[in-house]
Amino acid sequence: MLPIIEAHNIGKKFRIFHKDMPYLSLRDNIVSYIKNPVRLFQNHTEEFWALKDVSFEVMPGESVGIIGKNGAGKSTLLKILSRITPPTTGKITLRGRVASLLEVGTGFHPELTGRENVFFNGAILGMKRSEIKQKFDEIVAFAGVEKFIDTPLKHYSSGMQLRLAFAVAAFLEAEILVVDEVLAVGDAEFQKKCLGKMEDVTKNEGRTVLFVSHNMGTIMGLCNKGIFLRQGKISFAGNIYETTRKYLDSLYSGTPAPLNSKWIRKVELFSNGIQTESIISGNSLELIVHINHSKVLTSPVIGIIIKDIQNNYILGVNNRNYGIRLSDFQEGKVLIRIPTLPLYEGTYHIDIRLGENFRDIEIVENIIKFEVTLWDTDSHIITEKPYKDLNKLLIRGIDFKVLT
């Protein structure tokens, strides 16, 4: 089977104009150009490669998450794949029609009605009028704009435009669906519908999806493969879990790893009894901390601090504050269980504090990272009432236990 997408040595170059470029009138520009046509811009511009030597293949039916920091080249790559902009170097081979949703209103005309835009956009995608008519009712129902379908698009809110644009891209049966993180502007209910539809088109319809997002929980729930872009180049490509791990590791460069701890040998993270790197908001969090101390710890105290990716303090707990006495030990495993963790979507990391009585022995920062998502791919449920500061929420049932 041939790949549905082949990218060979893709590069995209832009020219950057510096801020110190002097303002010249049209007459001055003409005079300068006549005197020295080469020198006019050369001292005030430079070349910038948004993408360089990017090569990959995507097979039919695969869902690929494209991740990386802002400015890594993700959106530029999607625009090249969507044929909005050509590559400076390299070649793209597409064996199927592409439907893309890169920003609100992409491919729509504000003066046309919603109905006219559906047919207009479908024609751009290469769909026949009969194909568009067959899907029209589903598109309108999914978008929820029945009352306004004959109203000019310029009178739609950005949310209505987004719903209609996604419905057109998803329901008109292009073989490749390209979606940028534009879905972030939608409400939670709409995001749930969109993610469910994208999951449906890959698993049940066998279509190919390329999805850009900064939410690793959503990426891991939807995609089976990943591409990690870094400074315009592919840093890693492969299994989605390995790809997201590489990306998250890059965000914490220079932070200590568990093996650098003096007494903490290993930390394992579970949710609802399953080892994972992604937790659905509201589910449990369990940590198993492997400790090997030089002597027996009497009245050991172990605690965790949860912080977000901006290093903001979210929650801190330890067994002493919860009135739980741990048995004395020198080597062993300590289970820390929080029965419900209603956090907002995003990346979090954990510090661990090990102590004895009222004395700290060791504090290890950023010892483990995890993602929180509101999206449950099995039950298609978005959890409710997440909290940014769990200290304002009374969490019952937290447990600490030394495992034998």
Side-chain angles (χ1 to χ4, degrees):
M1 181 185 294
L2 290 173
I4 194 168
I5 301 173
E6 289 184 80
H8 297 287
N9 301 319
I10 296 300
K12 183 63 180 179
K13 180 177 68 175
F14 294 97
R15 187 174 294 278
I16 300 175
F17 289 80
H18 293 298
K19 290 183 178 179
D20 60 350
M21 182 176 178
Y23 170 78
L24 296 176
S25 66
L26 177 60
R27 184 181 65 182
D28 293 334
N29 273 312
I30 294 173
V31 171
S32 297
Y33 183 78
I34 293 172
K35 289 181 177 179
N36 192 336
V38 176
R39 192 179 175 185
L40 178 60
F41 293 110
Q42 70 181 100
N43 294 328
H44 304 288
T45 65
E46 65 173 299
E47 293 180 350
F48 170 71
W49 287 88
L51 294 172
K52 195 75 177 285
D53 300 324
V54 172
S55 299
F56 61 91
E57 294 181 350
V58 179
M59 301 303 293
E62 288 184 336
S63 51
V64 181
I66 302 175
I67 59 179
K69 294 182 179 180
N70 290 330
K74 306 183 298 297
S75 295
T76 301
L77 178 58
L78 292 194
K79 288 177 181 178
I80 291 174
L81 292 171
S82 303
R83 301 188 187 278
I84 294 173
T85 185
T88 306
T89 61
K91 180 183 178 183
I92 291 277
T93 301
L94 300 172
R95 297 184 175 92
R97 293 173 296 190
V98 178
S100 59
L101 182 58
L102 305 184
E103 59 184 53
V104 177
T106 300
F108 280 12
H109 195 292
E111 298 297 332
L112 300 179
T113 66
R115 182 187 303 275
E116 291 167 335
N117 268 295
V118 171
F119 284 91
F120 175 64
N121 203 255
I124 291 175
L125 295 177
M127 312 295 292
K128 297 178 181 177
R129 187 173 180 84
S130 58
E131 294 178 278
I132 303 170
K133 288 181 68 176
Q134 185 179 354
K135 294 286 184 179
F136 183 82
D137 290 342
E138 290 182 271
I139 291 170
V140 175
F142 186 92
V145 294
E146 295 94 333
K147 292 182 179 180
F148 311 98
I149 195 62
D150 292 308
T151 301
L153 200 77
K154 63 184 179 182
H155 299 305
Y156 284 30
S157 68
S158 59
M160 291 167 63
Q161 291 183 40
L162 175 61
R163 292 201 300 271
L164 186 60
F166 180 87
V168 170
F171 280 89
L172 295 182
E173 294 179 349
E175 290 78 14
I176 304 168
L177 178 61
V178 177
V179 183
D180 206 340
E181 52 195 344
V182 65
L183 296 184
V185 305
D187 56 40
E189 182 181 359
F190 175 68
Q191 288 183 38
K192 179 180 72 171
K193 286 177 66 175
C194 291
L195 292 169
K197 181 60 182 176
M198 286 194 288
E199 184 182 12
D200 182 59
V201 300
T202 54
K203 293 183 178 179
N204 299 328
E205 300 178 22
R207 292 157 67 189
T208 304
V209 172
L210 276 72
F211 183 46
V212 164
S213 177
H214 285 285
N215 188 303
M216 295 303 103
T218 302
I219 284 278
M220 287 189 286
L222 178 67
C223 303
N224 51 35
K225 290 192 175 180
I227 296 173
F228 169 26
L229 288 178
R230 196 173 192 177
Q231 296 179 344
K233 297 183 178 181
I234 293 182
S235 178
F236 185 84
N239 177 281
I240 190 61
Y241 296 102
E242 295 178 64
T243 307
T244 52
R245 181 180 297 174
K246 294 283 186 181
Y247 170 63
L248 292 174
D249 287 344
S250 74
L251 299 178
Y252 293 92
S253 57
T255 57
L259 292 179
N260 292 335
S261 167
K262 189 174 182 180
W263 311 118
I264 299 172
R265 303 305 184 202
K266 183 180 179 182
V267 178
E268 298 170 289
L269 186 143
F270 297 78
S271 181
N272 290 2
I274 300 172
Q275 192 163 8
T276 183
E277 295 177 351
S278 179
I279 296 173
I280 298 167
S281 181
N283 282 4
S284 69
L285 178 143
E286 298 102 26
L287 287 179
I288 296 180
V289 184
H290 299 245
I291 299 170
N292 187 357
H293 201 263
S294 58
K295 64 179 184 65
V296 174
L297 295 170
T298 58
S299 299
V301 177
I302 187 164
I304 64 170
I305 296 172
I306 299 177
K307 302 176 184 176
D308 65 18
I309 198 168
Q310 285 81 33
N311 218 37
N312 297 313
Y313 178 93
I314 304 296
L315 173 69
V317 296
N318 65 60
N319 60 292
R320 184 176 59 213
N321 288 347
Y322 277 79
I324 300 173
R325 189 187 187 285
L326 298 177
S327 57
D328 299 349
F329 70 94
Q330 180 176 350
E331 180 179 358
K333 296 182 288 186
V334 177
L335 169 67
I336 305 169
R337 184 175 189 276
I338 301 176
T340 180
L341 196 66
L343 288 172
Y344 279 93
E345 287 183 305
T347 303
Y348 297 83
H349 61 270
I350 293 175
D351 301 347
I352 291 185
R353 303 174 72 102
L354 177 64
E356 187 177 34
N357 291 312
F358 292 92
R359 176 177 65 92
D360 279 337
I361 295 174
E362 185 174 39
I363 301 173
V364 185
E365 296 183 337
N366 305 337
I367 200 166
I368 198 166
K369 302 180 290 292
F370 66 97
E371 286 291 314
V372 171
T373 178
L374 305 183
W375 174 246
D376 185 339
T377 55
D378 294 326
S379 62
H380 293 181
I381 293 173
I382 290 185
T383 55
E384 297 179 353
K385 296 183 179 178
Y387 291 82
K388 280 195 172 180
D389 185 358
L390 292 187
N391 287 313
K392 297 177 181 177
L393 176 70
L394 180 62
I395 300 179
R396 302 182 184 277
I398 292 181
D399 193 22
F400 295 79
K401 187 183 299 182
V402 176
L403 304 177
T404 55

